[in-house]
Amino acid sequence: MTKAKWKLNTIYISERLQESLQPISHCAMTTVVAPMGYGKTTAVNWYLSERTKAEQLHIIRISVYSDNLAIFWKNVQEAFTRAGFSFLQEYSCPVDAAGGGLLVDNLCHVLAGEVSCYLFIDDFHLLTDKRASLFLCMLANRLPSNMHLIVVSRDRFLPAAEALRLGGKVYQIGTEQLRLNQTELATYAHRCGTELSETQLKNLLYSSEGWFSAVYLNLHTLFERGVLPGRHSDIYATFTAAMIDPLPRPQRKFLAVMGLADEFTVEMAQYITGDADAGQMLSVLTEQNAFVTHLPDGTTYRFHHMMKECAERSFLKMKAEVQQLYWERFGLWYEEHRQYLHAIAAYEKSENYDALLRVIRSDAGILLASLKAEDVRKALDKCPAETLKAHPFAILVLMRRMFTWRQIPKMMELKELLMTAIEEHPEMPEEERGNLLGECDLILSFLCYNDIGAMSRLHRSASSQMSHSAISIQSSGGWTFGSPSVLMMFYRMPGDLKNELAEMDECMPHYYKVTSHHGQGAETIMRAEALFCQGDFTDAHIELERAYTQVKENGQINMALCCDFLLRRLSLYVEVEQRYTFEERYAMLLRYHDASWINLWCATSAYYHALCGKIDKIPEVFLKHRLSDVNMLAQGKPMMEMIENQVYLAEGAYAKVVGRSTQLLAVCETMHYVLVALHIQIQTAAAYEKLGKLEEARIWLKKALSDAEPDNLVMPFVENYDFLKPVLALEIRTDFIAQIIKLGEAAKRRRGENVRPAGFATLTEREYELACLKVQRLSNREIAEKLFLSEGSVKQYVNQLYSKLHIEGDTQTKRKQLAELLRQKN
């Protein structure tokens, strides 16, 4: 037998496995779960190749290489772009329920259609974050019929409850379908170019247990040495002996070095190895070795994990200085191609901290945020102080990141190092010195959060010294830490509101100057909110319109959503023009692909509809009380919790409101959130009243009145007036309480005027909404555009409402009868 007849790289998919793969096209999700080396990826690739021959389809292949979500997300974006879908390039990595839901909505919208679409995620077991598997379950539950998700993993990743919920939507392939039986083993050996005896077949089946990689390696050893390995051979030793040791030295070195990369191109291999013949070497290796794969994009290569493991072991046997050289080259390649996370990892392994800090400065802390705080700290502990001092702008980025991670002692340690670096270089240009000292003050101002006076002093200092915008703060980012209210963030002391507003006016222009107008309009929004809380609706509306104008000019979406929060609350008491329906604003936000803005929209909708008693319109994250699934910054969380409290109150979960109050108030006290605390006190008083505990209700109400009266903050009481009216009647009528009652009664009358006519009681909210639009003589098409419905849906709704109201006749007659009914009052 001559070696030339062997075809060890042949792809073999047994008839039994082929049948097992067929149901993939009928299921939303297919999981392929088996240990390493069972041919999972090969089987899926074969199946997709066959489907491509049978029909036109889209295939999106995503490979997982680590448990870093940011790196995985970059791979996802690139995979979609390669498949012709570039819309994900604008998305940040989803990290909570809102971000996941936003992504699912857009995926389903873009990919739905007549053409089948297969989303193939390989090596999913490497992504250990549990949120990833829950996201896939959410996606599978909502996929359109033309989309199919295939997930390959070494470990089971579907939670039992989610698998049960998915039911027939999920199809599972496991080891039993993938392993070879004796007949299939004989067929595979024959296709590889050899005929095994019955004894050899039985021995090979026994030692390999049908494990495809083990079978392949045994046949390779038989090809090289003429005998099969012993039954108890170590798989990695067998792999090395069969796949690496027989190779020429240049190829062994090539594998050892490029085994460090997740994926690579010929150009990258030439750069890293310094070998101009890397392309030719890759072609030879791919032809001879099933563990070196040329990916479908035609330019990228990857090693099987078994090959990577053995290659890395070989790399670690190289001299330390040689290893350092190659890690340097990896770092440079990744840095030049703006793959900053990979570059940071490579430079850390090469111990080139100068280059590592250079990358941190270039990244400005954006991707750095995806790393674990302890990992960054460990790297900094290894970095010589002199090297750090040579990169002062990188120190600023690290200080800002340490603040976000709440690593305040480390932040201050870096600050001292920065001061030392500046002092040791008196020759430093004054402009550079000013920019460093100014941005340092700007970052330190966050330690004084919601103490406007203290923050203002540091902002003025930063403004007087800096000649360019800060590098550690992105102007496009959120300014309110996820809060829908500026006033709730910065109202710190009862009786001091006037001074706080003045300090805000003084503070913000200096902050805008050094941050490219980050948070533009904040001081105007805060003043508008204060006027509203004092019951001055006219001036509040004027200031709000000014804020909207400022926001529009600077594109600060975050601040526009804070305006929306106030406008919705204001609309319950006076006639104000609504700029957008909730649906229209949501549709606009989808274009920006920012989950934090969706969270703000949800908060506004939840609070507004809770005040209106329209429970069914409250967004799911609040209605089902899933705030724990939302990624929130600590500074914005108390506001979200207060809004959730209002939802509990609207639902009648009064004991829940009381039970939460002590813990929520403790957080508010720590953070000096006096206005948030005031709302919680009022909510708790209302809950006690509804539970029939009047004494407890009075105690909580007295405390709230005492805190609110110095600044005349009447509206938090008015918003809950229906709950508080009985207990307010027991208090001595002060001017402050009299104003609350006056505004509360006016609000009740206004709601009564806007109540739905009795004849429309049988209609749903949506049907009543359409009825009101129908009498305005809008066409079905115009109504569809306004409510984001199809014309067919509008027609169906209209027919339903006419049927429920027993309205008959031609179109004109029906509309006339509908208008007459709407004019009738209770």
Side-chain angles (χ1 to χ4, degrees):
M1 183 183 301
T2 62
K3 288 186 178 182
K5 295 181 181 179
W6 288 63
K7 300 177 181 178
L8 289 170
N9 277 12
T10 189
I11 293 176
Y12 172 61
I13 306 294
S14 69
E15 292 183 5
R16 180 174 58 87
L17 179 55
Q18 290 182 34
E19 292 177 4
S20 298
L21 295 169
Q22 293 311 309
I24 291 176
S25 62
H26 304 294
C27 297
M29 176 193 281
T30 299
T31 66
V32 186
V33 179
M36 177 178 66
Y38 269 87
K40 304 182 292 295
T41 305
T42 301
V44 173
N45 280 333
W46 176 88
Y47 172 79
L48 293 176
S49 176
E50 293 299 305
R51 295 302 306 169
T52 303
K53 296 174 185 176
E55 62 172 319
Q56 178 189 0
L57 47 82
H58 300 301
I59 300 174
I60 303 167
R61 290 179 170 87
I62 302 166
S63 295
V64 183
Y65 293 107
S66 76
D67 65 350
N68 186 290
L69 271 177
I71 292 176
F72 169 68
W73 181 244
K74 190 66 177 176
N75 290 341
V76 171
Q77 292 173 313
E78 290 174 354
F80 271 78
T81 300
R82 283 197 299 267
F85 302 102
S86 59
F87 68 100
L88 288 188
Q89 293 295 337
E90 301 173 8
Y91 272 88
S92 56
C93 179
V95 292
D96 60 14
L102 175 63
L103 177 58
V104 168
D105 284 346
N106 218 350
L107 280 175
C108 294
H109 173 72
V110 173
L111 300 178
E114 298 297 324
V115 179
S116 295
C117 181
Y118 289 84
L119 180 56
F120 172 25
I121 304 178
D122 201 3
D123 292 319
F124 187 73
H125 56 275
L126 294 176
L127 197 61
T128 56
D129 195 311
K130 293 181 180 179
R131 292 173 297 179
S133 57
L134 293 175
F135 170 78
L136 293 185
C137 294
M138 183 201 308
L139 178 60
N141 259 316
R142 293 160 63 177
L143 283 178
S145 59
N146 70 305
M147 286 187 66
H148 310 282
L149 179 60
I150 306 173
V151 187
V152 169
S153 175
R154 291 186 201 169
D155 309 312
R156 294 191 179 278
F157 61 90
L158 282 182
E162 293 296 333
L164 185 64
R165 192 174 292 117
L166 283 167
K169 290 184 177 181
V170 63
Y171 174 58
Q172 302 183 56
I173 297 173
T175 306
E176 286 305 312
Q177 288 90 353
L178 293 164
R179 64 160 42 107
L180 299 170
N181 60 32
Q182 186 166 330
T183 302
E184 293 163 348
L185 178 54
T187 303
Y188 175 54
H190 173 74
R191 292 192 179 186
C192 286
T194 185
E195 303 293 338
L196 300 181
S197 67
E198 284 297 316
T199 301
Q200 286 178 313
L201 280 172
K202 288 180 180 179
N203 287 340
L204 182 52
L205 186 63
Y206 177 81
S207 64
S208 68
E209 296 183 338
W211 181 12
F212 223 115
S213 288
V215 171
Y216 176 85
L217 290 173
N218 274 267
L219 293 179
H220 227 289
T221 301
L222 178 63
F223 170 65
E224 292 290 343
R225 301 184 181 181
V227 294
L228 291 169
R231 287 189 174 187
H232 304 294
S233 301
D234 171 76
I235 187 64
Y236 289 108
T238 301
F239 186 98
T240 301
M243 307 304 300
I244 296 179
D245 289 348
L247 295 174
R249 185 176 179 279
Q251 291 186 18
R252 293 201 307 272
K253 183 179 178 182
F254 180 90
L255 290 174
V257 173
M258 296 314 299
L260 302 174
D262 297 332
E263 295 178 355
F264 58 92
T265 61
V266 170
E267 182 186 8
M268 179 179 176
Q270 290 171 334
Y271 183 92
I272 302 297
T273 64
D275 190 340
D277 295 328
Q280 183 180 353
M281 193 178 299
L282 272 170
S283 297
V284 173
L285 286 170
T286 306
E287 291 172 5
Q288 296 177 350
N289 194 321
F291 293 93
V292 181
T293 306
H294 198 185
L295 297 182
D297 64 6
T299 61
T300 311
Y301 293 82
R302 67 177 293 194
F303 291 167
H304 188 278
H305 287 288
M306 196 176 294
M307 171 68 80
K308 282 177 66 67
E309 175 72 22
C310 292
E312 287 172 18
R313 292 184 184 190
S314 298
F315 181 81
L316 292 174
K317 294 177 182 178
M318 293 180 178
K319 293 179 180 180
E321 58 269 24
V322 176
Q323 293 183 42
Q324 185 177 19
L325 168 67
Y326 285 119
W327 278 124
E328 287 267 352
R329 290 181 181 176
F330 272 110
L332 282 167
W333 172 270
Y334 290 132
E335 182 182 359
E336 289 173 3
H337 290 79
R338 302 180 66 83
Q339 294 177 262
Y340 291 142
L341 288 177
H342 287 82
I344 289 171
Y347 283 139
E348 184 181 359
K349 288 176 180 175
S350 72
E351 299 184 345
N352 185 340
Y353 293 103
D354 270 307
L356 186 148
L357 292 169
R358 183 176 67 233
V359 172
I360 287 174
R361 163 66 177 86
S362 298
D363 173 54
I366 299 171
L367 292 174
L368 190 68
S370 66
L371 300 179
K372 296 177 181 178
E374 56 269 28
D375 292 342
V376 176
R377 286 202 59 171
K378 286 177 184 177
L380 287 179
D381 290 342
K382 295 176 185 177
C383 179
E386 292 304 313
T387 305
L388 265 169
K389 287 191 292 185
H391 296 271
F393 284 104
I395 293 178
L396 290 171
V397 172
L398 288 165
M399 283 177 61
R400 177 74 174 89
R401 185 50 50 205
M402 290 300 163
F403 171 79
T404 305
W405 284 329
R406 309 308 297 162
Q407 302 280 320
I408 305 305
K410 189 65 178 179
M411 173 185 173
M412 299 309 293
E413 180 185 323
L414 288 166
K415 181 251 184 181
E416 291 305 318
L417 199 64
L418 177 66
M419 294 297 105
T420 302
I422 294 173
E423 289 173 7
E424 290 178 353
H425 291 280
E427 78 285 356
M428 182 183 293
E430 282 301 315
E431 183 176 347
E432 182 178 348
R433 182 186 302 271
N435 284 321
L436 289 170
L437 291 172
E439 185 153 358
C440 181
D441 282 344
L442 181 63
I443 294 168
L444 291 176
S445 74
F446 291 107
L447 295 176
C448 309
Y449 170 68
N450 90 350
D451 183 343
I452 306 173
M455 294 185 79
S456 181
R457 286 189 290 275
L458 288 164
H459 290 169
R460 288 197 297 270
S461 173
S463 174
S464 67
Q465 297 179 85
M466 295 175 66
S467 62
H468 64 61
S469 296
I471 63 170
S472 60
I473 296 176
Q474 300 296 310
S475 62
S476 59
W479 185 85
T480 64
F481 295 103
S483 167
S485 165
V486 178
L487 185 63
M488 288 182 190
M489 295 171 63
F490 289 101
Y491 179 55
R492 184 182 176 91
M493 183 72 67
D496 205 31
L497 179 58
K498 183 177 180 180
N499 289 333
E500 289 172 344
L501 291 171
E503 287 180 327
M504 197 74 170
D505 288 336
E506 166 65 23
C507 173
M508 293 311 296
H510 298 288
Y511 179 81
Y512 297 149
K513 178 183 173 183
V514 295
T515 61
S516 298
H517 301 283
H518 183 223
Q520 179 80 39
E523 73 278 21
T524 313
I525 296 171
M526 183 172 171
R527 185 173 298 281
E529 288 184 287
L531 290 164
F532 168 77
C533 285
Q534 293 170 334
D536 187 344
F537 301 142
T538 300
D539 285 344
H541 190 196
I542 291 170
E543 291 297 323
L544 181 58
E545 290 299 327
R546 286 175 178 159
Y548 267 121
T549 301
Q550 288 177 292
V551 167
K552 182 179 179 181
E553 290 176 354
N554 288 281
Q556 298 284 308
I557 304 299
N558 172 261
M559 308 313 296
L561 293 171
C562 289
C563 291
D564 289 353
F565 183 64
L566 177 56
L567 183 63
R568 288 292 175 180
R569 296 168 71 190
L570 185 62
S571 71
L572 294 173
Y573 304 98
V574 290
E575 288 297 327
V576 291
E577 181 185 355
Q578 292 295 332
R579 291 168 174 260
Y580 314 97
T581 64
F582 278 103
E583 293 81 4
E584 287 169 342
R585 177 58 100 179
Y586 184 82
M588 291 172 63
L589 292 177
L590 287 179
R591 299 200 299 265
Y592 295 101
H593 317 303
D594 191 313
S596 65
W597 295 346
I598 298 296
N599 289 336
L600 283 173
W601 178 90
C602 287
T604 297
S605 179
Y607 193 71
Y608 173 81
H609 288 117
L611 293 180
C612 295
K614 297 179 179 179
I615 306 297
D616 60 318
K617 289 200 170 187
I618 293 173
E620 182 178 309
V621 68
F622 282 94
L623 187 61
K624 294 188 177 180
H625 302 287
R626 290 171 48 202
L627 274 186
S628 60
D629 294 339
V630 176
N631 185 48
M632 289 183 287
L633 294 170
Q635 294 88 341
K637 189 174 182 181
M639 294 73 162
M640 293 295 194
E641 298 276 12
M642 181 278 290
I643 291 171
E644 185 177 36
N645 237 27
Q646 195 68 43
V647 173
Y648 276 125
L649 200 60
E651 292 174 320
Y654 307 123
K656 180 75 75 173
V657 173
V658 171
R660 287 161 47 93
S661 61
T662 302
Q663 183 179 358
L664 295 181
L665 286 171
V667 175
C668 290
E669 183 177 359
T670 301
M671 303 185 74
H672 307 289
Y673 279 170
V674 173
L675 183 54
V676 181
L678 177 64
H679 278 275
I680 294 168
Q681 290 166 356
I682 291 169
Q683 292 163 347
T684 308
Y688 269 127
E689 197 285 326
K690 298 303 288 186
L691 290 168
K693 292 183 171 289
L694 284 179
E695 285 307 309
E696 289 86 346
R698 291 188 70 183
I699 291 171
W700 284 87
L701 181 63
K702 284 179 183 294
K703 171 60 175 165
L705 290 168
S706 174
D707 288 346
E709 189 170 6
D711 288 312
N712 198 45
L713 303 181
V714 293
M715 289 310 295
F717 298 89
V718 175
E719 288 182 324
N720 286 284
Y721 180 72
D722 289 348
F723 294 108
L724 297 175
K725 183 176 180 179
V727 70
L728 277 169
L730 300 176
E731 300 299 315
I732 297 174
R733 182 74 66 93
T734 64
D735 291 342
F736 184 62
I737 291 177
Q739 187 182 2
I740 293 171
I741 294 172
K742 178 182 177 181
L743 289 169
E745 290 297 328
K748 284 187 69 173
R749 288 193 299 273
R750 188 169 188 273
R751 285 198 303 274
E753 293 171 359
N754 293 332
V755 76
R756 183 191 302 192
F760 290 81
T762 59
L763 300 187
T764 66
E765 286 291 335
R766 177 61 87 184
E767 289 166 348
Y768 181 65
E769 191 174 15
L770 262 78
C772 294
L773 293 173
K774 197 68 179 172
V775 299
Q776 296 176 27
R777 308 190 70 81
L778 296 180
S779 67
N780 285 350
R781 175 177 294 180
E782 290 169 329
I783 294 173
E785 291 174 354
K786 196 172 186 66
L787 298 183
F788 297 94
L789 296 171
S790 67
E791 277 193 70
S793 295
V794 170
K795 187 175 181 180
Q796 186 176 1
Y797 275 122
V798 171
N799 289 337
Q800 287 173 354
L801 72 89
Y802 281 149
S803 175
K804 287 183 178 181
L805 298 175
H806 306 291
I807 293 176
E808 298 178 348
D810 58 26
T811 300
Q812 186 174 355
T813 302
K814 288 179 179 178
R815 185 183 288 120
K816 185 177 180 180
Q817 293 180 61
L818 186 62
E820 182 62 30
L821 278 175
L822 275 172
R823 282 194 291 270
Q824 298 174 9
K825 302 295 181 183
N826 288 329

